[in-house]
Amino acid sequence: MKVIVGLGNPGNEYNQTRHNVGFMLIDALAEHLNITIWKDKFSAKIAEGHIGSEKILLVKPQTFMNLSGNAVQPLLNWYKLGVEDLVVAHDDMDIEIGTMRIRRKGSSGGHRGIESILVNIGDENFARIRIGVGRPLPGWTVVNHVLAKFVDDDCVKIKEVIQSLLPAIECIVQEDVDKAMNKFNPKKVKKQKLPKQETTTVQTGPETPEGTGEKL
């Protein structure tokens, strides 16, 4: 079984905010897989389903973002699963809006929800799906930024990237995270080297008495 966790904050006031893109991905995946039955368990909303022959558990912690680990760790214990079975989707300000990155492991990168999970399970070796929400506007605080709703243009970008992640999650579950990284992570564009400029010799005037060329 794979546990796929989307991070966010519970409550209608947080719907469609940048901090809740993890919830948005889980909802899109549930719709894609025709999963409709949700239960409240271990401070989370959970739903069971399948991707191919692999059983999955969709999870939306209801603890608020900063205490996400309080929901994730008991679920792993209850289902007797290890960190290699965990996939966590979350917002990331260091990635441009409308783009994403899949990682096999890593630190929290300053994300409080991931930090809470790391503290609770004591291991960083779980897959991450980082969904870009961009940096705050000038004069905005981080809190203002992540709790703000998406504007029209950004809504389109987020919906597109979430749809692109559905086959990526299927790849993680049915194959492995490394295959998904190679297949779905944006490729780095190599910078083209500029052609070397030919050097030209500039004729200077006769040397001055001090022995230096005259300035042109």
Side-chain angles (χ1 to χ4, degrees):
M1 176 189 279
K2 293 291 185 185
V3 179
I4 305 170
V5 180
L7 301 188
N9 288 311
N12 292 333
E13 65 269 35
Y14 298 107
N15 287 345
Q16 304 300 311
T17 60
R18 292 177 175 86
H19 231 13
N20 274 37
V21 290
F23 278 13
M24 293 166 67
L25 177 59
I26 294 297
D27 288 339
L29 185 59
E31 182 179 359
H32 176 65
L33 298 173
N34 296 315
I35 297 172
T36 57
I37 300 174
W38 292 85
K39 299 177 182 179
D40 293 314
K41 196 171 186 178
F42 295 115
S43 301
K45 289 193 176 297
I46 66 172
E48 296 182 0
H50 288 83
I51 291 178
S53 60
E54 185 77 24
K55 190 173 182 179
I56 61 168
L57 186 72
L58 303 183
V59 180
K60 295 190 291 183
Q62 301 296 293
T63 54
F64 287 93
M65 180 67 78
N66 293 1
L67 298 176
S68 298
N70 293 1
V72 174
Q73 190 262 346
L75 281 168
L76 292 180
N77 289 348
W78 176 262
Y79 288 97
K80 297 180 172 60
L81 299 171
V83 291
E84 67 276 5
D85 301 310
L86 176 63
V87 181
V88 181
H90 64 93
D91 60 300
D92 195 314
M93 292 193 306
D94 291 328
I95 301 177
E96 184 181 351
I97 194 163
T99 59
M100 62 81 182
R101 294 287 188 281
I102 300 170
R103 294 180 67 189
R104 185 159 44 86
K105 63 177 183 178
S107 66
S108 70
H111 192 284
R112 295 294 180 84
I114 294 295
E115 186 176 320
S116 175
I117 294 173
L118 288 170
V119 168
N120 277 268
I121 68 176
D123 197 321
E124 67 173 23
N125 292 288
F126 58 92
R128 326 285 171 81
I129 298 174
R130 303 161 62 198
I131 304 172
V133 296
R135 301 297 300 178
L137 294 171
W140 282 44
T141 66
V142 169
V143 173
N144 291 150
H145 180 66
V146 297
L147 296 185
K149 295 183 184 292
F150 291 106
V151 296
D152 292 343
D153 289 346
D154 289 346
C155 279
V156 173
K157 292 178 181 177
I158 286 297
K159 287 178 181 178
E160 288 176 350
V161 76
I162 284 175
Q163 288 302 310
S164 74
L165 279 167
L166 302 183
I169 293 173
E170 292 177 334
C171 183
I172 292 172
V173 172
Q174 294 182 298
E175 298 183 71
D176 59 49
V177 66
D178 288 328
K179 292 273 183 67
M181 289 169 61
N182 290 333
K183 188 174 181 180
F184 293 97
N185 274 352
K187 307 301 181 187
K188 291 183 179 179
V189 178
K190 292 183 179 180
K191 293 182 179 179
Q192 293 183 343
K193 292 183 178 180
L194 295 174
K196 291 183 178 179
Q197 294 182 344
E198 294 184 2
T199 56
T200 56
T201 302
V202 179
Q203 292 286 352
T204 63
E207 289 188 346
T208 63
E210 288 78 14
T212 57
E214 292 179 340
K215 294 181 181 180
L216 299 177

